Amino acid sequence: MLQQRTLKSMTRAVGVGVHGGQRVELTLRPAPPDHGIVFRRVDLPQPVAIPLSAEVVSDTRMATTLSPGGDPGAPKVKTVEHLLSACAGLGLDNLTIDLTAEEVPILDGSAASFVYLLQSAGIELQDAPKRFIRVKKTVEVREGEGERLMWAKLEPFEGYKLTFEIEFHHPAVDQTGQRVTFDMGSGNYKREIARARTFGFSKDVDMMRARGLGLGGSMDNVIVVDESKVLNAEGLRYDDEFVKHKILDAIGDMAMAGRPILAAYSAFKSGHALNNRLLRALMADPANYEIVTIEDASRLPRGLSELAPAW
């Protein structure tokens, strides 16, 4: 039987939110079987808990934001996608995530710091079967036409792989890889995807800051691109870091399902909003999917069945 996973011990980090710029303490705690991944705002007079589901996503501008019941007026947890991507990359099922402010810390702008934190705490198997969402029918969402066309879809697949294509029409981005397929079953998430950082364009900085966004961003946690080149002195971590970060984000956005997915995800110019629409479309019809357990772990690729080693 493929078992659920949690942490062996508690672990902490302190950082700032990339958009709000506010200092935040992050505490990751083990949780019992069938608990799921739950965010908690512990800075509020009455702590607020937000379990994962597609319906709790209340804002997708620049990042994925959650609030109880998806109520935009309720307490929020912002920029969850990099941490959730790391959790999915390591196959974690049960975790309590405590925050002392409304935004998950950006750390280095990728998922690598979260992977390090989680693996340093250790990952533990639990006495309960791991439950997957197996996609049975193709589900697709589309937006725009012609040059503005974007789409994302999930198709039946015995495993979990992601294909993403970007199109920015920008010299610095165009000279890198525009399309990547990554199979989570390879077990190479940490090496091939986790280190891809978020990116932004210098021309947008003033506009974003006027809207209260990007206040915690710097070249320590964002790839910054001007009209023609990457401004970060160290350059890119991968030749195709831009599109790999979009896959990293998509893994985090799909983790909002609350259970690991067995499917092939593919997308063209998608983002947090379209990813959430895709997940909602999947879950809207019970005929689209089934909840399954895996009795024989050898039926799945090793990256989905083997326990990640301690860092």
Side-chain angles (χ1 to χ4, degrees):
M1 178 185 72
L2 206 55
Q3 295 164 271
Q4 292 180 32
R5 303 175 188 182
T6 190
L7 295 182
K8 286 183 178 175
S9 62
M10 181 184 72
T11 185
R12 285 194 175 98
V14 177
V16 298
V18 69
H19 291 304
Q22 192 174 4
R23 182 185 183 276
V24 57
E25 295 177 24
L26 168 76
T27 304
L28 304 167
R29 303 178 186 276
D34 298 318
H35 176 275
I37 295 175
V38 178
F39 285 89
R40 292 199 312 165
R41 285 283 306 278
V42 298
D43 57 313
L44 302 173
Q46 193 71 31
V48 171
I50 311 175
L52 299 190
S53 78
E55 286 70 31
V56 302
V57 174
S58 56
D59 196 347
T60 51
R61 291 170 296 177
M62 307 302 294
T64 294
T65 295
L66 319 181
S67 55
D71 176 4
K76 297 174 178 62
V77 174
K78 299 180 177 180
T79 319
V80 300
E81 59 271 14
H82 301 169
L83 174 53
L84 290 180
S85 185
C87 290
L90 296 175
L92 282 163
D93 300 282
N94 303 302
L95 192 63
T96 297
I97 302 170
D98 289 349
L99 293 163
T100 61
E102 69 176 11
E103 192 172 7
V104 175
I106 191 64
L107 302 182
D108 78 336
S110 75
S113 297
F114 296 119
V115 169
Y116 177 80
L117 274 173
L118 294 164
Q119 285 195 271
S120 296
I123 297 171
E124 186 168 80
L125 293 175
Q126 298 177 287
D127 190 19
K130 193 178 185 77
R131 293 181 174 86
F132 293 85
I133 296 171
R134 176 189 277 146
V135 173
K136 295 168 62 179
K137 295 166 59 178
T138 298
V139 178
E140 182 173 1
V141 292
R142 301 172 76 86
E143 186 177 306
E145 295 179 1
E147 285 287 304
R148 296 182 178 275
L149 175 66
M150 302 180 288
W151 57 263
K153 67 180 173 180
L154 289 165
E155 299 172 275
F157 179 70
E158 280 301 308
Y160 187 26
K161 68 177 179 181
L162 303 100
T163 300
F164 207 108
E165 185 175 354
I166 57 175
E167 190 178 82
F168 279 91
H169 301 301
H170 186 286
V173 181
D174 291 351
Q175 65 188 3
T176 72
Q178 304 285 289
R179 187 177 188 274
V180 164
T181 293
F182 175 70
D183 193 333
M184 288 282 273
S186 67
N188 292 330
Y189 171 84
K190 182 172 74 173
R191 186 173 75 236
E192 294 185 14
I193 301 295
R195 297 177 64 246
R197 293 161 293 173
T198 193
F199 57 93
F201 300 93
S202 57
K203 65 181 177 61
D204 297 331
V205 169
D206 289 343
M207 177 271 292
M208 287 177 61
R209 293 195 167 159
R211 293 168 54 198
L213 298 170
L215 301 179
S218 72
M219 290 196 199
D220 293 329
N221 52 39
V222 177
I223 302 170
V224 181
V225 183
D226 69 6
E227 291 78 10
S228 61
K229 62 185 180 301
V230 171
L231 298 180
N232 304 61
E234 74 276 20
L236 298 178
R237 293 175 175 178
Y238 305 105
D239 291 340
D240 46 7
E241 188 168 2
F242 297 105
V243 68
K244 280 190 171 178
H245 186 78
K246 299 294 281 186
I247 281 186
L248 184 156
D249 277 350
I251 292 169
D253 287 341
M254 292 298 104
M256 287 303 307
R259 291 191 172 102
I261 290 177
L262 297 176
Y265 164 97
S266 53
F268 176 65
K269 295 165 59 176
S270 186
H272 302 303
L274 206 57
N275 288 339
N276 187 245
R277 274 185 55 201
L278 177 63
L279 210 50
R280 287 178 186 240
L282 172 72
M283 306 307 289
D285 185 351
N288 290 336
Y289 66 94
E290 60 184 344
I291 306 297
V292 299
T293 59
I294 306 296
E295 293 300 319
D296 179 5
S298 66
R299 282 182 51 205
L300 284 183
R302 67 177 180 84
L304 297 176
S305 58
E306 291 181 0
L307 197 64
W311 192 275

